[in-house]
Amino acid sequence: MTFVASRRAFLLAASSLSLAGCSSAPVGFTMDGGPGFYKRLNARAEKVDAVAARDMISIYRTNNGLSALSLDPSLMDAAQEQALAMARADRMSHDIGGSLQSRLWNKLDHKTATENVGAGYYTLAEAFSGWRESPSHNKNMLNPAMRRMGIATAYVAESKYKVFWALILTD
């Protein structure tokens, strides 16, 4: 194979690989290559990047001498149910779908659970910043007993808030 032919083969292979990567963004990044925590969620099909959320909150916790969190499928489901309940009611509340304890009853084994809700934040970075600046929400994220989390969003085009958030943390 000549140098020109081997160079063409290399370029063809490289372009094929780069095109194959266009179908989805790497975990933690948006399709435009930006971090997932800046992805705008004010559209029906958009959902929060749970891995980016776990990483963001875990880094914050470890910077404060605490353990990292793991994602829990049951907590992800419970957070999604709460975000959807708030979206249907078009208001933010911890009790729309019942109390946190009643919503988690029989779903998983835990001794301690806490929840942050929010509305009107369009990105994970905005929600995290809002929770971090709120003493009660910040206390929840920095609770040393917490080990697992679930996070979800729900979008309502007609709402003044547009995006509803639920973050559930348990031991």
Side-chain angles (χ1 to χ4, degrees):
M1 189 180 258
T2 67
F3 172 75
V4 173
S6 63
R7 185 165 186 247
R8 281 189 192 141
F10 171 78
L11 291 174
L12 180 60
S15 66
S16 296
L17 286 174
S18 68
L19 287 175
C22 290
S23 61
S24 65
V27 173
F29 289 86
T30 63
M31 287 300 288
D32 65 4
F37 48 86
Y38 289 130
K39 179 171 95 174
R40 293 183 62 82
L41 303 174
N42 57 328
R44 193 162 311 279
E46 298 296 337
K47 296 291 179 193
V48 64
D49 181 337
V51 172
R54 180 209 54 210
D55 292 349
M56 179 181 280
I57 296 168
S58 290
I59 289 168
Y60 182 56
R61 288 174 55 86
T62 57
N63 286 343
N64 283 278
L66 302 170
S67 65
L69 300 171
S70 63
L71 289 174
D72 183 289
S74 295
L75 293 175
M76 294 294 294
D77 291 343
Q80 189 64 67
E81 289 171 15
Q82 181 63 12
L84 288 170
M86 291 187 300
R88 283 190 293 272
D90 196 20
R91 68 184 178 91
M92 184 179 59
S93 170
H94 291 280
D95 298 320
I96 287 176
S99 71
L100 177 60
Q101 290 305 325
S102 70
R103 287 184 277 125
L104 296 182
W105 187 257
N106 292 330
K107 288 194 179 208
L108 57 119
D109 182 32
H110 70 283
K111 294 177 186 161
T112 306
T114 190
E115 177 180 60
N116 287 357
V117 296
Y121 300 121
Y122 285 9
T123 67
L124 172 58
E126 290 173 1
F128 174 76
S129 292
W131 290 332
R132 192 184 60 221
E133 298 302 317
S134 163
S136 62
H137 292 103
N138 191 53
K139 183 179 176 183
N140 289 343
M141 291 192 300
L142 294 178
N143 184 324
M146 299 304 134
R147 299 284 182 266
R148 299 175 289 170
M149 67 171 274
I151 189 168
T153 56
Y155 171 74
V156 180
E158 304 78 31
S159 172
K160 70 179 179 180
Y161 300 111
K162 304 289 187 222
V163 184
F164 292 85
W165 293 79
L167 168 67
I168 301 174
L169 304 161
T170 66
D171 55 358

